[in-house]
Amino acid sequence: MADPAILVENLSKVYRIGSAEERHETLSGAALGLLSAPLRNLHRLRSLDASRSLRRPNRPTPNEHSDDLLWALRDVSFQVHRGEVLGVIGRNGAGKSTLLKILSRVTSPSSGRVTMLGRVSSLLEVGTGFHPELTGRENVYLNGTILGMRKAEIDRKFDQIVDFSGVSRFLDTPVKRYSSGMKVRLAFAVAAHLEPEILIVDEVLAVGDAAFRARCVGKMQEVTGRGGRTVLFVSHDMNAVHRLCSRCLLLGGGRLVAEGTTEKVISQYLEQGAPTRHRYRSEPDPGRDGMILEIVPKDAEGQPLLGEIDASKPFAIEVVATSAAEHPAGYLTVSLRDRLGTPVLFTDLRDSAPAGIASGVSRYRVEFPEWLLAPGDYLVTVGLNDGVGGQLDVVRNGLSIALIDLDSPRGGHRIGYFGARLPWARVVPTSGQGTGFAPDPPASPPRPPDEFRPESRPVPSLRRS
Amino acid sequence: MSQHAPSVDGISTATSPADSGSAPAPHPLVIEPASGWMPIDLAELRDRSDLLLYMTIKAVKTRYVQSALGFTWAFIQPLMTIIVFTIVFSRVAKIPMPSDLPYPLIAFCGILFWSFFAQSLTAASSSLVSNREMLTKIYIPRLIFPLSQSLAKLVDLMITLVLLGVLMVGFRIAGEPVSPRPEAVLVLPAMILLAFVASLGLSLWFSALSVQYRDVAYGLPFVVQIGMYLTPIIYSTEMIPAAIRPIFALNPMLAVITGVRASLLGPPFLYHPALLVEGTVVAVALLVSGAIFFRRSEHLFADVA
């Protein structure tokens, strides 16, 4: 743990969300309420300071509700090393923005502490502080000093900034006459010429067109590539995070959910909202006509497969379902989707067995041959139908199965959904038989095609996005 | 850093923040929850003096932008006020001034400083709320918002002081006995400073309060209007009964205008040292308490604005 640039210890931030307005049932109640409104308002406005109630936890105010408090960040600790580019990802409301706001000192934490070693600059939004009535030149100086530069520093870099922005002709025009693209370019040019030791960046890449975004990422890479620069980068753009960051934090519900290499954390992020369980179970509900009680993948010997599944071996998905009545036309369906929700495969009991759901608990089984599916994660959806237009139960994305390829040269690096081993052959052209399939077996035994092995590992979790 | 023990999730927790000193820490910036009383960070303010400069320039430049008269407005407003005041209070209401000097000159000394005070107070008090975009997106020393607004109004005051000078020279040429006391060279800057301190002090209170309570924005115009009549602008300090003068002098602008008139217009306008001291004490108390209150509520600004 050598040389941390940012040290975050048990950081928490609590906000107070406004509670519902009081309602009055009677006219006199409403009149009384109106009279006491200023006092109540005063109390409400005072209580906007959430730290007040934290400071004195044992002295609750009269209308104190714990559900009135929103923990935007709860007990988050991590370190960023000098020269490291750390990505922060998470869904909306995960606490990313709050974290960045605390780190850039826009807001102060409710508890915990942050220690930063080095000059800090934050780009929470490019162009903050731009004034439409001022000229481009004046805004460069204003924005530059807002971002923490000194006048002498801006003087020195002024030509570079103008060159980068490409708005040199309009320097003495009020910024309000700029196109939005010009404004963003000028703002980013100022920001790009900051030389902090610690840079905090949030969604800068969300603005502008694709070409500009590419240029921003390029500039960021250049900046971070020079070394010594510590960057905290927050974005929803997983590709940008992956390109820029070596390590990543995943926030969820204000807590630190995961921390590790970018690849690992991004795949975990993509899994959020989808189950990672490998077995689905549900308690029987006597009030229902039919129910799916259990879904579990099993191997050829009938043993449950609760971890990764070897794609080179056949496996089965077993479904335990109960039905109050017999449905002679009833059937089950099983469908697989990938992590992004794209349908991959759909199969129906009636494809290979007679229709019919017996009353009571029954066990169904659908078999998947070896090498049917490409290695990867699939989500399983199972439906139970009575066969006359009614759906008795459906379990959407009830479990995930992870297929891995342990024995082919490509391993898991295979795009698409099919895993079938197709017959390959080296076709040696002989006289008169230059085209068509070779009738003879190849002269040499088949060897793995070494030249097609990937040079570098692509990101497994991104390969289909 | 052996003190940093990894915890179960692989999250490192510092067990001892006070390290043995192996890391070269040039300026460790520590962010912690706001804790009650903290002094104003003057070193930080000095570091960001260029920012203060550009924020002030922005406030000055953007005021009269895209208006045909531009900076002339800075002259027109006090000039029109003085004409109206002269007609209403001197000709219609016939307020007797202790001096034989022309009424416009006497009133102008008061109006100039009062309008600086009022404008500075109004602009600075709303500076946090009107800059909430910036306040919630980026950190700059928050004090810069009201401070730059007050400084910008100070620029206006300087411009209108030139107008006062022209007026004085004009009346003198016209044969009026305009004779500033020699110590005006020192007294005038001191009074400008006093007016600045008073307006900034009150602005710090109001700007911090208005973030949480918008009532300030509604109440402030009344305070300014009532304050104008409680300040010797259309009348003179000497006309206030001596017994209640100390109460009136709780308003620091009374001291400012008394000092300005005594130094620039001479007798019968007097310094009233006791009133000057009282006003100064109040102004300094406002500034110190305002700064403390501002600092204390600063941590809330971004969350509540």
Side-chain angles (χ1 to χ4, degrees):
Chain A
M1 288 291 174
D3 215 7
I6 307 175
L7 187 63
V8 174
E9 298 160 78
N10 309 100
L11 202 64
S12 294
K13 174 76 184 180
V14 62
Y15 284 104
R16 185 179 295 277
I17 45 177
S19 47
E21 289 283 317
E22 263 179 74
R23 295 205 181 281
H24 300 286
E25 301 292 329
T26 62
L27 187 64
S28 60
L32 213 66
L34 203 66
L35 285 176
S36 64
L39 266 178
R40 221 173 36 241
N41 284 342
L42 188 74
H43 184 82
R44 188 170 54 83
L45 291 176
R46 266 175 78 88
S47 70
L48 283 173
D49 182 357
S51 62
R52 211 174 263 282
S53 48
L54 287 184
R55 234 180 276 140
R56 298 173 302 198
N58 44 358
R59 256 183 61 189
T61 41
N63 62 354
E64 188 76 55
H65 303 295
S66 59
D67 57 338
D68 209 22
L69 297 177
L70 173 77
W71 290 85
L73 271 188
R74 197 149 202 182
D75 212 14
V76 170
S77 304
F78 63 90
Q79 283 191 21
V80 189
H81 311 301
R82 191 167 301 286
E84 183 180 36
V85 184
L86 182 76
V88 179
I89 56 177
R91 305 201 174 277
N92 288 332
K96 305 183 302 281
S97 303
T98 306
L99 175 64
L100 288 208
K101 277 188 173 176
I102 291 173
L103 291 182
S104 56
R105 291 205 285 165
V106 167
T107 183
S108 62
S110 303
S111 66
R113 96 197 228 134
V114 180
T115 313
M116 300 215 243
L117 300 158
R119 185 179 156 183
V120 187
S121 275
S122 67
L123 302 180
L124 289 203
E125 202 158 289
V126 282
T128 307
F130 259 48
H131 196 288
E133 300 285 359
L134 296 179
T135 67
R137 185 187 306 276
E138 289 164 338
N139 268 312
V140 167
Y141 277 95
L142 179 61
N143 194 230
T145 48
I146 285 173
L147 293 175
M149 285 194 257
R150 303 208 60 117
K151 181 179 177 298
E153 205 179 333
I154 305 172
D155 285 339
R156 207 170 60 238
K157 293 179 188 160
F158 190 78
D159 293 337
Q160 276 171 278
I161 292 173
V162 173
D163 276 354
F164 188 85
S165 70
V167 298
S168 50
R169 278 180 57 211
F170 308 99
L171 268 186
D172 295 306
T173 309
V175 161
K176 65 178 173 182
R177 309 220 192 288
Y178 281 31
S179 74
S180 54
M182 283 161 65
K183 232 178 287 178
V184 169
R185 286 212 304 275
L186 186 63
F188 189 79
V190 178
H193 287 83
L194 284 170
E195 277 171 9
E197 287 146 295
I198 299 171
L199 183 64
I200 298 168
V201 187
D202 183 18
E203 300 293 358
V204 179
L205 308 175
V207 294
D209 53 15
F212 180 74
R213 281 209 297 271
R215 200 156 147 221
C216 292
V217 173
K219 180 73 187 175
M220 291 258 316
Q221 266 172 334
E222 180 197 321
V223 161
T224 54
R226 251 181 257 146
R229 188 84 57 101
T230 310
V231 181
L232 212 74
F233 179 61
V234 168
S235 182
H236 284 294
D237 182 348
M238 290 303 134
N239 279 310
V241 171
H242 182 248
R243 277 172 68 184
L244 291 168
C245 309
S246 52
R247 215 159 58 88
C248 236
L249 302 181
L250 175 60
L251 294 179
R255 291 174 192 271
L256 186 64
V257 174
E259 179 183 15
T261 61
T262 303
E263 289 181 15
K264 205 185 87 193
V265 175
I266 287 181
S267 38
Q268 190 167 344
Y269 169 72
L270 293 174
E271 273 172 29
Q272 270 187 351
T276 46
R277 56 190 164 177
H278 298 296
R279 179 184 206 139
Y280 171 84
R281 262 192 186 145
S282 174
E283 288 301 310
D285 179 353
R288 292 178 62 173
D289 293 339
M291 246 188 107
I292 294 163
L293 299 178
E294 188 178 355
I295 310 168
V296 61
K298 291 193 171 176
D299 65 11
E301 281 79 48
Q303 295 303 310
L305 287 165
L306 298 180
E308 289 162 324
I309 299 173
D310 186 348
S312 70
K313 296 198 172 80
F315 70 95
I317 291 178
E318 280 198 6
V319 179
V320 178
T322 178
S323 176
E326 190 187 338
H327 298 284
Y331 60 94
L332 270 93
T333 61
V334 170
S335 59
L336 303 184
R337 286 167 192 275
D338 74 359
R339 285 282 174 204
L340 302 174
T342 314
V344 173
L345 182 143
F346 187 92
T347 179
D348 186 315
L349 171 75
R350 297 168 300 177
D351 290 346
S352 54
I357 304 284
S359 69
V361 177
S362 321
R363 187 175 289 265
Y364 305 84
R365 177 182 171 91
V366 54
E367 289 178 16
F368 293 78
E370 71 272 20
W371 297 127
L372 173 70
L373 294 165
D377 287 357
Y378 301 93
L379 299 170
V380 181
T381 295
V382 177
L384 178 65
N385 301 276
D386 63 10
V388 289
Q391 192 159 49
L392 297 170
D393 194 10
V394 61
V395 175
R396 289 202 172 80
N397 301 334
L399 73 152
S400 74
I401 53 175
L403 291 177
I404 52 162
D405 180 349
L406 296 171
D407 62 1
S408 86
R410 286 208 71 84
H413 306 293
R414 198 181 290 275
I415 59 161
Y417 303 120
F418 302 113
R421 293 298 118 119
L422 303 177
W424 277 72
R426 268 203 180 69
V427 181
V428 182
T430 51
S431 55
Q433 284 183 308
T435 55
F437 294 105
D440 299 322
S444 57
R447 287 193 323 124
D450 285 345
E451 61 274 27
F452 291 128
R453 279 194 193 178
E455 288 300 314
S456 59
R457 268 167 53 84
V459 201
S461 51
L462 288 177
R463 71 188 192 278
R464 281 193 209 111
S465 58
Chain B
M1 293 215 191
S2 51
Q3 295 98 323
H4 294 194
S7 72
V8 268
D9 328 69
I11 302 163
S12 306
T13 323
T15 46
S16 152
D19 256 358
S20 48
S22 55
H27 286 294
L29 169 69
V30 177
I31 301 169
E32 281 183 316
S35 59
W37 309 99
M38 289 177 297
I40 288 275
D41 197 343
L42 287 175
E44 183 188 33
L45 213 55
R46 198 189 56 231
D47 271 358
R48 305 296 294 268
S49 56
D50 287 347
L51 171 62
L52 181 59
L53 175 71
Y54 282 104
M55 289 290 281
T56 308
I57 291 176
K58 169 182 141 181
V60 172
K61 275 197 176 167
T62 54
R63 189 126 41 90
Y64 301 116
V65 84
Q66 212 174 344
S67 70
L69 294 176
F71 268 107
T72 321
W73 279 112
F75 295 102
I76 292 175
Q77 283 163 350
L79 216 55
M80 295 310 265
T81 320
I82 198 97
I83 291 169
V84 173
F85 276 21
T86 305
I87 294 168
V88 174
F89 297 116
S90 176
R91 299 276 177 266
V92 179
K94 294 203 175 16
I95 292 175
M97 279 290 183
S99 165
D100 294 333
L101 284 169
Y103 184 84
L105 196 58
I106 300 168
F108 203 50
C109 291
I111 290 165
L112 274 194
F113 280 85
W114 178 259
S115 61
F116 159 73
F117 179 78
Q119 287 180 18
S120 160
L121 188 62
T122 309
S125 296
S126 65
S127 62
L128 291 175
V129 175
S130 57
N131 277 303
R132 66 178 298 279
E133 274 296 299
M134 218 163 128
L135 199 65
T136 53
K137 291 222 173 81
I138 200 156
Y139 174 81
I140 64 172
R142 272 56 174 265
L143 202 60
I144 283 184
F145 293 109
L147 192 55
S148 62
Q149 288 293 340
S150 284
L151 284 173
K153 302 300 176 188
L154 205 55
V155 174
D156 271 17
L157 176 64
M158 297 305 174
I159 293 172
T160 44
L161 275 175
V162 173
L163 192 63
L164 177 65
V166 171
L167 218 58
M168 285 172 70
V169 172
F171 277 118
R172 189 169 182 139
I173 291 170
E176 299 285 348
V178 182
S179 52
R181 298 188 206 220
E183 70 268 23
V185 184
L186 292 175
V187 175
L188 194 61
M191 292 303 121
I192 294 172
L193 183 67
L194 184 57
F196 180 72
V197 166
S199 79
L200 183 65
L202 211 53
S203 301
L204 291 181
W205 273 102
F206 286 162
S207 59
L209 276 172
S210 69
V211 170
Q212 208 167 346
Y213 309 99
R214 295 291 148 86
D215 309 54
V216 173
Y218 305 120
L220 196 56
F222 295 109
V223 173
V224 168
Q225 203 166 11
I226 294 163
M228 201 192 89
Y229 293 105
L230 293 178
T231 310
I233 297 168
I234 52 173
Y235 53 92
S236 75
T237 314
E238 288 73 18
M239 290 162 69
I240 304 170
I244 56 167
R245 266 182 217 161
I247 299 170
F248 272 62
L250 287 173
N251 165 12
M253 289 313 288
L254 179 136
V256 171
I257 292 168
T258 306
V260 168
R261 280 189 181 144
S263 63
L264 286 184
L265 304 178
F269 295 106
L270 304 171
Y271 280 117
H272 302 284
L275 301 185
L276 289 196
V277 168
E278 188 184 340
T280 309
V281 168
V282 171
V284 169
L286 275 176
L287 183 64
V288 171
S289 62
I292 290 169
F293 180 72
F294 190 90
R295 183 78 171 141
R296 210 173 132 72
S297 21
E298 202 175 13
H299 72 101
L300 263 180
F301 292 167
D303 297 346
V304 181

